[in-house]
Amino acid sequence: MNSAFRFARQVKRALTGFNRRGVILTYHRVAQPASDPWQLCVSPEHFAEQMEVIARCGLPVALPQMQRNLKRFSVGRKEIAITFDDGYADNLHNAAPILVRYGMPAIFFVVSGALDSRKEFWWDELERLILSPAALPETFDVAMDGVRYCYRIVSKQGAPTREYGQDITDMPPANAELSRLELYYVLSKIISSLASEPKNTALRQISLWANQSPQARSDYLPLAVKDLISLAQNPLFEIGAHTVSHPKLSGLSTVEQETEITRGKRELESILGRPITSFSYPHGSYSDVTVEIVRRARLQVACTIEGRPVSRSDDPFVLPRIIVSNWSGDLFEERLRRWLA
Ligand SMILES: [Zn+2]
């Protein structure tokens, strides 16, 4: 390699290093359920290993601090901010004690309408109805929001590829043969775009079809109000807003988006008696209009799920975050070192 070229590459790498601010990590649950179709759970054991790696390899900071330092050049250890989305009760019961043990600051983005609901989030309820029962009818035949969906449920054990997975683009035709897991992803895609009321009706219809009780599982519940208050009392922790009902914001009208964002923020403020200044977009979904509403709502920082490290040039209202899976400490360290490099 010619030496001028090598020098240019070294300069570029050094500048990239200076410009890189750090990493924002996204967690959802610290738990070990029987099935986890979105890979949103980290076991308590792996979570503790990951915190040990962060303490050793990075500079743990609170998200607002990273936002305040965003435009500064980064020298020395890179910053790592820990975030949790949705507001599961296991954040208080399983994650908080481990965070405290390692002195890790964290922010919890909470769906205000789920507090005290004693109901599972819809994607968990759907998992309970489709993936948990010992037996299901052989044919799925349920109308949702005025549209009838018919599929045949077949066992595809050992099938080399899965046609319908987490990122479905084309929906299966009527009477298609689907495994239970494929059916779960197909129904998730349909339900995620419904408004609150049709969403609840669709889940009721599916529970009737599956002949399952509407009973929520205690270890899947969102935070109760008293849980939120005790989480917020710890000086290591902050609470951020994550809307009232966790919709895909970019699919809503301006007025609906405004209501979801400002009411979600206000409900948390009235419970906690302090301003809420951070936000994360449910499903990572936003448009230019969404960002403008977030700015006007006097929020100071907002996070997406665009999976990459944070740079000085990033807009504080669309900060990228990396979703962490149930990786062992070693696997997590390998990835973290790559993101921080
Ligand atoms: Zn969420």
Side-chain angles (χ1 to χ4, degrees), residues 5 24 104 113 138 159 190 202 204 222 231 272 288 302 305 315 339:
F5 180 72
I24 307 174
M104 292 288 165
E138 282 173 10
I190 297 166
R204 251 193 326 272
L231 202 54
L272 299 173
D288 291 348
I305 45 171
D315 177 344
W339 301 325

Side-chain angles (χ1 to χ4, degrees), residues 28 85-86 123 242 246 282-283:
H28 291 81
D85 274 12
D86 303 336
W123 53 89
H242 197 44
H246 205 277
H283 306 282

